[in-house]
Amino acid sequence: MTAPNELRLLPWSGPEGKPCYLDTDDKAGYMSRLADNIEAVQLGTAAELLKHASATLDDQDAGPEDWQRLARELTRALRDVLRVATSRGHLLAGSDPQRP
């Protein structure tokens, strides 16, 4: 199995919002591929939401409900993207032999 500092942060939370980690040497295994696919969906959703946010900013008729919904969706997308970035950063750090 992988060393403790090489656990993969998964793109979902466990009970009570706690982070979930994957401990495997099989980067092509089912759980690794599932995590990769979910990360891809999360990043795609964030990209689409960014387009929506730009359109809302340009919409003079956007009301408070629109802004509140947009803020909730942007917060959720930012949380997901940050988790993906953290996970991938850990993966990169674990694969770089030059890093201490």
Side-chain angles (χ1 to χ4, degrees):
M1 287 296 172
T2 56
N5 62 344
E6 294 179 15
L7 297 176
R8 178 179 181 172
L9 176 64
L10 294 172
W12 57 81
S13 297
E16 302 173 11
K18 294 183 179 179
C20 293
Y21 295 91
L22 178 61
D23 181 10
T24 183
D25 292 329
D26 186 3
K27 296 189 186 321
Y30 175 77
M31 291 300 293
S32 293
R33 287 182 288 123
L34 177 62
D36 290 342
N37 289 337
I38 290 174
E39 286 178 352
V41 168
Q42 290 172 328
L43 294 174
T45 299
E48 288 299 316
L49 187 54
L50 184 58
K51 291 179 192 174
H52 176 68
S54 294
T56 302
L57 287 169
D58 292 337
D59 183 0
Q60 297 296 322
D61 296 325
E65 317 79 43
D66 299 315
W67 291 107
Q68 189 174 36
R69 183 175 48 252
L70 179 61
R72 272 194 307 273
E73 291 173 3
L74 286 169
T75 300
R76 183 179 26 225
L78 183 57
R79 184 179 305 117
D80 290 344
V81 169
L82 181 59
R83 184 183 300 261
V84 171
T86 300
S87 176
R88 292 186 181 185
H90 287 193
L91 290 174
L92 291 173
S95 66
D96 185 354
Q98 301 299 319
R99 288 198 172 180

